[in-house]
């Protein structure tokens, strides 16, 4: 072999599963055998590889999500999602893998040429004017010879797979061959467009219609490839099962019979069993009602809740659960009532996620310090744009727990008047909620937060935060509506928030963006999209914030733009551009600019009471067994605990329906089409202006 076929090795990050995420593994490209092997580390190289992927017929694809990631898709349907340290290293691996893949694919094709009866011309199925019919016969013949052998290899068998039967039936081979021809047409289309002279004739490579055609062709091919990949995985599972090999079960994690739909909850004995404790503190026959007690913040301590990603095992079973779920969904389907598998969950409730959007409380409190209405609006936009990065907690898309109706979450932050957040200072006594809160004994402001799940269908959450000393508070209600979008899941956050600056008698109403979980079959990642408005009627200033989703062809991820405008004159006083999880550039009317790196902003830890000091329906205590099981990587037990909570909620809902008993919220009251905190700051007598 030449120098270009040398063996290479080194560390790459490999995506393991939705729970674990990325893990460093030592990879070896064995050019002679045509295999990509990996080991836990370099020291374990003399041992048997942890995994092996045949490269004959494989597809090596650099990702457009970033400049470091690429995928290796084997002919059997198995996939490695890998990440290099930088773009240069990715290119090195991709080029060597592609050379090795091409060499072994061609060798496989020469030893097993395609039978004449398996030549599928898309032109023969279409009109004589189709693009394929206009190609030269020799060109088409060469393409067939170069592209069909990989699938016919599985049909006929080879030395690489002599110990196994064909994994793909004829109809999937046909589909793969037709896909190969379609990919050839796509490449020809792109080359033709890009080969047009820039300034000769009626068309140019930058013509808007041609650019749209390129993007549409690319998106179509990506979608078809994903669909074919799903079909191949399903067929591989069926064939392996029939051969007595490893079986991929297309089911959710197994549950005890009593936890399946229709199973009686009361037949589960809790004496000494795994489900004892606060999970069952609420009787299944007793409605989840509340007393009038208030939350005492004196017991709050700085949050020590941190998560470490650890390996959980093979991804095949988990991927099969996702595929099984996807097979039951339709485009546009409302996912509100769909129970998602437990292993894709974050270890926190949605109510706590809303609290994490307040992780920069110093920016929030600083809004009211603005010298004029224009500056205060810009400060609010800055706080708004910087809140999403920490709230999401990482690049991999995971789903928080769906809050149970009546569930609540409480926390607070110490906001220093200047300098770094105060640490290890004793918590000052907190007066009853709704009355003025004095500053902390260490001289810091105190910002308090409460959230409650006020409705189950539709799922509506209310959350409220206040800093009495600064005479400011914010009230928000959100209805999360999820929809299946093929290879993505979209979440619309329907609702409205309002920031009240009592010192200035100003109210800032705002909306929320949509969120998307992309690439749900591989490494799901979060994207925000949509247009958000902020308006202050009294000052006459408004803002429009646009979260831009990545286009099909090219473009950057996580882009956001914003404009702050004076409504009376239509003058734009500030523009913002950048990434909501990266660097933001603020440009002012006078020509000044300012950069804000969201990733370098100090994060103030919230203060939360320990679980044993919380009420039975507070988020962390309510979900503690699910969270602990996920930490212990016991997905089956986590699923059991989650199912019991959800079944209790259904039982109580049926009981309220039968007895015509309305649900009574604790902290929020229905007001028009929204929900308002029952003791907002402006109703506090000593704080009224």
């Amino acid at each position: 072999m030449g120098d270009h076929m040398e063996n290479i090795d080194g560390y790459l990050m490999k995506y393991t599963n939705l729970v674990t995420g990325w893990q460093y593994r030592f990879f070896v490209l064995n050019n002679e055998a045509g295999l990509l092997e990996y080991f836990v580390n370099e020291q374990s190289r003399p041992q048997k590889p942890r995994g092996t992927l045949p490269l004959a017929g494989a597809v090596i694809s650099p990702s457009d999500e970033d400049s470091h990631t690429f995928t290796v898709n084997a002919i059997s349907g198995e996939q490695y999602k890998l990440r290099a340290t930088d773009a240069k290293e990715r290119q090195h691996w991709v080029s060597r893998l592609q050379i090795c893949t091409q060499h072994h694919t061609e060798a496989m094709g020469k030893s097993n040429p395609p039978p004449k009866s398996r030549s599928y011309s898309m032109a023969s199925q279409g009109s004589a004017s189709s693009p394929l019919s206009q190609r030269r016969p020799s060109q088409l013949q060469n393409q067939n010879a170069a592209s069909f052998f990989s699938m016919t290899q599985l049909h006929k068998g080879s030395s690489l797979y002599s110990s196994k039967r064909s994994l793909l039936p004829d109809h999937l081979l046909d589909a793969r061959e037709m896909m190969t021809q379609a990919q050839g047409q796509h490449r020809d289309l792109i080359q033709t467009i890009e080969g047009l002279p820039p300034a000769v004739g009626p068309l140019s490579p930058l013509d808007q219609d041609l650019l749209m055609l390129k993007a549409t062709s690319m998106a179509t091919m990506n979608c078809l490839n994903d669909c074919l990949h799903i079909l191949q995985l399903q067929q591989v599972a069926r064939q392996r099962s029939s051969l007595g090999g490893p079986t991929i079960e297309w089911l959710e994690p197994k549950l005890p019979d009593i936890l399946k739909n229709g199973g009686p909850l009361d037949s589960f004995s809790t004496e000494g069993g795994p489900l004892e404790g606060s999970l069952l503190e609420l009787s299944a026959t007793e409605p989840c009602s509340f007393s009038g007690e208030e939350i005492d913040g004196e017991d709050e301590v700085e949050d020590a809740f941190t998560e470490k990603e650890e390996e959980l095992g093979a991804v095949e079973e988990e991927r099969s659960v996702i595929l099984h779920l996807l097979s039951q969904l339709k485009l546009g389907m409302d996912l509100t009532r769909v129970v998602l598998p437990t292993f894709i969950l974050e270890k926190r409730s949605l109510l706590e996620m809303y609290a994490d959007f307040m992780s920069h409380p110093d920016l929030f409190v600083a809004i009211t310090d603005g010298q004029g209405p224009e500056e205060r609006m810009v400060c609010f936009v800055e706080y708004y744009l910087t809140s999403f990065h920490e709230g999401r907690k990482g690049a991999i898309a995971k789903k928080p727990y769906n809050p149970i109706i009546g569930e609540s979450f409480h926390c607070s932050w110490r906001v220093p008047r200047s300098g770094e957040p105060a640490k290890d200072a004793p918590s000052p006594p907190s007066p009853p909620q709704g009355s003025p809160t004095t500053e902390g004994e260490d001289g810091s402001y105190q910002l308090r937060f409460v959230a409650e799940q006020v409705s189950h269908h539709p799922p509506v959450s209310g959350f409220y935060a206040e800093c009495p000393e600064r005479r400011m508070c914010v009230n928000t209600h959100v209805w999360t509506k999820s929809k299946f979008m093929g290879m993505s899941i979209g979440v619309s956050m329907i609702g409205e928030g309002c920031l009240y600056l009592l010192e200035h008698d100003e109210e800032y109403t705002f909306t929320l963006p949509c969120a998307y979980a992309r690439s749900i079959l591989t490494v799901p990642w979060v994207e925000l999209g949509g247009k958000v408005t902020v308006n202050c009627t009294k000052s006459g200033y408004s803002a429009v914030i646009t979260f831009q989703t990545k286009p099909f062809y090219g473009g950057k991820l996580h882009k956001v733009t914003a404009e702050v405008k004076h409504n009376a004159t239509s003058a734009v006083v500030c523009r913002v551009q950048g990434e909501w999880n990266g660097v933001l550039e603020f440009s002012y009317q006078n020509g000044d600019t300012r950069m804000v790196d969201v990733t370098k902003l100090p994060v103030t830890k919230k203060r939360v009471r320990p679980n044993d000091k919380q009420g039975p329906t507070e988020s962390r205590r309510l979900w503690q067994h699910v969270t602990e099981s996920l930490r212990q990587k016991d997905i089956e037990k986590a699923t059991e605990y989650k199912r019991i909570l959800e079944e209790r909620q259904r039982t109580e809902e049926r009981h309220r329906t039968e007895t015509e008993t309305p649900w009574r919220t604790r902290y929020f009251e229905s007001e028009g089409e929204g929900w308002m905190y029952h003791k907002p700051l402006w109703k506090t007598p000593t704080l009224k202006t």
Side-chain angles (χ1 to χ4, degrees), residues 289-313:
S289 59
F290 300 105
S291 64
E293 66 192 37
E294 297 291 353
I295 300 301
D296 186 1
E298 189 173 353
D299 296 322
E300 290 179 341
V301 295
E302 189 173 281
D303 190 17
F305 185 79
T306 56
E307 287 306 320
K308 240 174 141 182
E309 293 188 350
E310 298 176 355
E311 187 167 0
L312 185 62

Side-chain angles (χ1 to χ4, degrees), residues 21 26 34 96 160 296-297 327 348 385 397 399 499 513-514 537 622 667:
F26 189 78
R96 294 300 184 272
L160 287 175
D296 186 1
S327 68
R348 59 173 176 169
L385 289 174
K399 183 181 182 302
L499 170 68
C514 297
T537 303
L622 183 69
Y667 298 109

Side-chain angles (χ1 to χ4, degrees), residues 428-558:
S430 298
Q433 288 183 338
S435 61
T437 303
T438 59
E439 63 178 281
E441 292 179 355
D442 59 349
S444 60
Y445 302 126
Q446 192 172 43
L447 177 64
R448 301 201 61 81
F449 177 93
V450 57
E452 180 182 9
Q453 190 70 8
V454 297
S455 172
H456 180 47
H457 288 304
V460 180
S461 309
F463 58 92
Y464 173 86
E466 67 177 26
C467 183
E469 189 180 12
R470 302 312 310 275
R471 301 180 63 198
M472 60 186 302
C473 60
V474 61
N475 186 92
T476 308
H477 64 275
V478 183
W479 168 22
T480 53
K481 188 173 184 180
S482 306
K483 282 191 176 182
F484 178 60
M485 302 169 63
M487 293 301 138
S488 303
I489 293 177
V491 181
S492 299
M493 292 191 281
I494 304 169
E496 187 178 78
C498 189
L499 170 68
Y500 300 86
L501 303 182
L502 302 185
E503 181 180 350
H504 307 287
D505 193 25
E506 292 176 346
E507 299 180 6
Y508 296 73
T509 59
F510 58 92
T511 54
L512 299 165
C514 297
Y516 301 92
R518 306 292 195 191
S519 304
I520 56 179
L521 277 182
T522 54
V523 183
W525 50 281
V526 175
E527 184 175 36
L528 299 180
K531 185 173 291 188
V532 170
T533 58
V534 184
N535 187 60
C536 178
T537 303
K538 179 182 177 182
S539 69
Y541 282 88
S542 64
V544 175
I545 303 171
T546 304
F547 293 87
Q548 301 177 15
T549 55
K550 185 181 181 299
F552 285 125
Y553 191 78
K556 291 185 177 181
L557 292 171
H558 311 308

Side-chain angles (χ1 to χ4, degrees), residues 232-242 246-248 250:
Q232 288 173 345
L233 285 175
Q234 292 175 333
Q235 184 61 33
V236 167
R238 296 191 189 99
Q239 290 282 27
R240 285 179 177 171
S241 178
S242 64
T247 302
I248 299 178
W250 303 89

Side-chain angles (χ1 to χ4, degrees), residues 136-192:
R136 295 191 300 274
S138 61
Q139 186 180 5
L140 179 58
Q141 183 179 358
N142 290 338
Q143 180 189 332
N144 289 338
S147 59
F148 292 170
F149 53 74
S150 62
M151 284 295 105
T152 55
Q153 168 62 20
L154 281 178
H155 182 63
K156 297 182 66 176
S158 71
S159 58
L160 287 175
Y161 305 103
S162 58
S163 61
K164 298 181 180 180
R165 299 180 188 178
S166 168
L167 295 178
L168 301 179
D170 287 351
H171 66 275
L172 283 184
L173 295 177
D174 297 347
R176 184 61 181 259
E177 292 175 4
M178 296 175 70
M179 276 293 300
T180 303
Q181 292 197 17
Q183 288 169 345
Q185 287 183 288
H186 170 70
R187 285 193 298 270
D188 289 349
L189 173 67
I190 300 301
Q191 291 172 1
T192 301

